[in-house]
Amino acid sequence: MTIDTGWLDLPASVSDDEVRLDKGVAVTRITSRYESPRQVRAIHDSPGRTLTIEFRYFGGQEATRHVRFSGIVVGEVGKHSHRIYSLVFNPVSAEAGFQTMIERAVCDLQSAIESARFEVSEDNSQATNNVISRVVKPELPKAAMAAG
């Protein structure tokens, strides 16, 4: 069975600015709206054991290149912006539940991006992780329930 969340519009708050203390000084890291996805969709293909997550940005589509982040994570990254346009996790299994599958995917993605840091914009990788954790994680189970 294939489960598709459809394109979900993202609120600006999904990529909240990061505030941290550095030697007693509050430092705010502001993520550009061009680094943050404006839409996302997730597609889980049970027979193929894949989870595909696609992103859309302000400024539209650009030429992309194929990047193998790790043995189980591949994606399409903007040639100029280094924004992530799609991620494919293979293999994945929803046997332990969609929440667990997404948590594993986020962990896989974080470690994969660490090893391929030069391939992806740092702000975009943080925004992408936020979107997966805050939007895809709760929406994929809803789409599965709606699909029956």
Side-chain angles (χ1 to χ4, degrees):
M1 174 199 294
T2 300
I3 299 162
D4 186 341
T5 62
W7 286 105
L8 304 169
D9 291 326
L10 300 173
S13 62
V14 84
S15 295
D16 289 335
D17 298 336
E18 175 188 338
V19 180
R20 63 180 171 77
L21 286 178
D22 186 11
K23 298 179 184 174
V25 177
V27 177
T28 303
R29 181 183 186 147
I30 300 170
T31 302
S32 164
R33 70 183 201 130
Y34 292 98
E35 291 290 332
S36 299
R38 67 178 175 86
Q39 289 184 312
V40 65
R41 80 172 171 181
I43 303 164
H44 178 250
D45 177 24
S46 297
R49 297 187 55 182
T50 61
L51 171 64
T52 302
I53 303 174
E54 299 175 329
F55 305 92
R56 288 182 178 163
Y57 296 90
F58 290 102
Q61 187 74 11
E62 67 177 300
T64 60
R65 59 189 162 72
H66 185 78
V67 174
R68 177 166 290 284
F69 291 105
S70 71
I72 62 169
V73 183
V74 296
E76 294 293 322
V77 175
K79 283 186 176 182
H80 302 289
S81 69
H82 298 276
R83 296 182 299 198
I84 299 171
Y85 281 89
S86 71
L87 295 166
V88 179
F89 299 86
N90 184 10
V92 294
S93 173
E95 292 173 6
F98 286 107
Q99 301 286 336
T100 302
M101 179 181 69
I102 298 295
E103 287 169 8
R104 288 181 184 155
V106 167
C107 288
D108 291 339
L109 178 62
Q110 287 172 340
S111 61
I113 286 178
E114 281 295 314
S115 64
R117 186 177 299 192
F118 62 92
E119 299 282 356
V120 179
S121 154
E122 187 176 341
D123 287 342
N124 178 251
S125 67
Q126 183 61 48
T128 301
N129 276 321
N130 287 344
V131 167
I132 294 171
S133 298
R134 297 178 186 175
V135 179
V136 174
K137 186 176 175 181
E139 290 298 326
L140 194 59
K142 291 178 191 176
M145 288 177 59

